[in-house]
Amino acid sequence: MILKDGAACLRNLIHLFRPASSSLTSKLGACYFCTSHVASLQQPGKPSVFSDDEYADLDWDNLGFSIKPADYMYTMKCSKHENFKQGQLSRYANIELSPSAAVLNYGQGVYEGTKAYRTEDGRILLFRPDLNASRMKIGAERMCMPSPSVDQFVDAVKQIALANKRWVPPPGKGTLYIRPLLIGSGPVLGLGPAPEYTFLAYASPVGNYFKEGSAPLNLYIEEEFVRAAPGGAGGVKAMSNYAPVLKALIRAKSRGFSDVLYLDSVNRKNVEEVSSCNIFVVKGNVISTPATNGTILEGITRRSVIEIARDYGYQVEERVIPVDELINADQVFCTGTAVVVAPVGSITYQNKRVEFKTGSRSVYQELYSTLVGIQTGVIEDKKGWTVEV
């Protein structure tokens, strides 16, 4: 029997493994994914995919959002003009790259972010990983890179979640953040696409993205720097989009703000997005968010929140939002895989601070509760958004 689904194969191994089993070797032989890699996954003195430990030894009440590498990562390679083949799990470790790798010299790379959730009954769920896969394909095309198929991407994420199951926080304590990367790993000197590409995925348990926790955010509208320009790569999750925002972000945080809200690069009058998340403005029964026009990332949480809001009867508009509209807004909130749905308490623009309604009866709280309820299995998923590992 040959199992083409690596995650299913991994589940088989975990089920089959018994220390006293004399038939383990022959059973492993049934799975082509495992025969050549099981030895590298089991290292003396270290937990393995067969570990009986229910949870890793962490302070689950104080996770924050910093790297705590889970046991395993996933790797898959291909050459230019070819398709990705079967990947493999290995211990989380440093990788080897040529100094002339395209990703190091010219920033040829995209990444994604998704999460694994532990339910109250012990299941592990993923949330719409097929959309992450599709977004990576769009980004890869923009950056002249081959990309894994949707099935390959989803299977890799499943394998990472399953192999690192003990790193998925207990219910209510956080999530396992999974970071897939696609990079031009082959060497180049002149400007051009790499001859080889590497897809990687690793994981880390996380809590709240912002140090404020669930407290309302205080945003600063940036007028000097812009995040993206028409015709650029602002609409895809290119690695090169993020380092340029650091200067404005560090400056804003040094002044006591949570994050930066950017304006459009042409007129400097319209709201676009925050450094790492989308933004929504609420006025009465109308929820507005900037339209994704090539400079704004099409967030998966954004898309999900829009659908949930419409289900609740809100009128959702995707349009140009002049910065002046913020003065009269009732509520403002941000969305993203890392931030989930976060309330905005104030926005400062041209030395004027505008405050917004927050609290238990706010729109963001209703949308947050429903979204997280679906993601964690508390609310029945009638939309087919979750995938059980």
Side-chain angles (χ1 to χ4, degrees), residues 358-377:
T358 59
S360 60
R361 295 187 177 182
S362 59
V363 173
Y364 108 86
Q365 185 62 56
E366 182 179 28
L367 300 176
Y368 171 88
S369 297
T370 302
L371 176 68
V372 174
I374 294 171
Q375 291 172 332
T376 58

Side-chain angles (χ1 to χ4, degrees), residues 125-388:
L125 300 179
L126 304 174
F127 185 72
R128 310 188 82 174
D130 57 311
L131 296 187
N132 293 96
S134 297
R135 190 169 65 179
M136 176 170 275
K137 289 182 72 69
I138 293 170
E141 193 279 332
R142 176 66 178 83
M143 304 295 282
C144 299
M145 300 188 292
S147 63
S149 68
V150 171
D151 288 343
Q152 286 176 321
F153 181 103
V154 173
D155 186 59
V157 172
K158 285 181 178 179
Q159 289 191 47
I160 283 292
L162 186 60
N164 295 304
K165 184 176 181 179
R166 72 193 196 97
W167 293 84
V168 182
K173 300 295 185 181
T175 56
L176 183 69
Y177 186 88
I178 300 172
R179 172 62 60 83
L181 308 168
L182 178 61
I183 61 174
S185 52
V188 294
L189 185 59
L191 179 59
E196 179 188 78
Y197 296 87
T198 300
F199 172 84
L200 295 166
Y202 65 90
S204 173
V206 297
N208 287 313
Y209 180 77
F210 291 105
K211 68 177 183 179
E212 292 90 343
S214 57
L217 306 177
N218 298 305
L219 302 182
Y220 175 80
I221 292 182
E222 175 60 48
E223 295 184 85
E224 179 182 358
F225 300 107
V226 296
R227 178 191 170 274
V236 299
K237 212 165 177 63
M239 294 177 180
S240 52
N241 287 343
Y242 292 86
V245 308
L246 293 178
K247 189 174 184 66
L249 180 60
I250 291 170
R251 185 169 66 181
K253 288 190 173 184
S254 71
R255 296 173 179 174
F257 296 102
S258 309
D259 211 326
V260 175
L261 174 58
Y262 293 91
L263 302 178
D264 72 288
S265 63
V266 178
N267 301 307
R268 307 291 179 97
K269 293 182 179 180
N270 302 314
V271 173
E272 293 228 315
E273 65 177 299
V274 183
S275 301
S276 58
C277 47
N278 297 114
I279 192 162
F280 287 76
V281 178
V282 182
K283 182 66 176 178
N285 194 55
V286 179
I287 301 176
S288 302
T289 189
T292 53
N293 55 7
T295 59
I296 297 171
L297 186 69
E298 294 192 29
I300 293 161
T301 307
R302 173 188 181 276
R303 176 171 170 174
S304 304
V305 163
I306 287 174
E307 188 167 335
I308 292 170
R310 286 175 174 156
D311 289 345
Y312 278 129
Y314 291 101
Q315 178 183 336
V316 181
E317 299 177 348
E318 298 178 71
R319 61 178 176 84
V320 173
I321 301 178
V323 67
D324 293 339
E325 278 194 27
L326 295 175
I327 298 173
N328 299 313
D330 297 331
Q331 302 172 42
V332 176
F333 61 88
C334 298
T335 65
T337 298
V339 307
V340 194
V341 183
V344 175
S346 73
I347 295 179
T348 298
Y349 175 52
Q350 295 181 340
N351 296 319
K352 297 179 182 179
R353 178 185 172 104
V354 180
E355 296 188 348
F356 308 101
K357 175 186 174 182
T358 59
S360 60
R361 295 187 177 182
S362 59
V363 173
Y364 108 86
Q365 185 62 56
E366 182 179 28
L367 300 176
Y368 171 88
S369 297
T370 302
L371 176 68
V372 174
I374 294 171
Q375 291 172 332
T376 58
V378 173
I379 295 175
E380 181 184 357
D381 177 17
K382 297 180 180 180
K383 298 177 178 293
W385 285 352
T386 57
V387 176
E388 185 171 349

Side-chain angles (χ1 to χ4, degrees), residues 6 23 31 35 66 70-71 76-78 139 184 196 205 208 222 267 330 349 389:
S23 59
C31 175
T35 51
S66 59
D71 295 326
M76 185 163 48
K77 293 180 179 289
C78 84
E196 179 188 78
N208 287 313
E222 175 60 48
N267 301 307
D330 297 331
Y349 175 52
V389 176

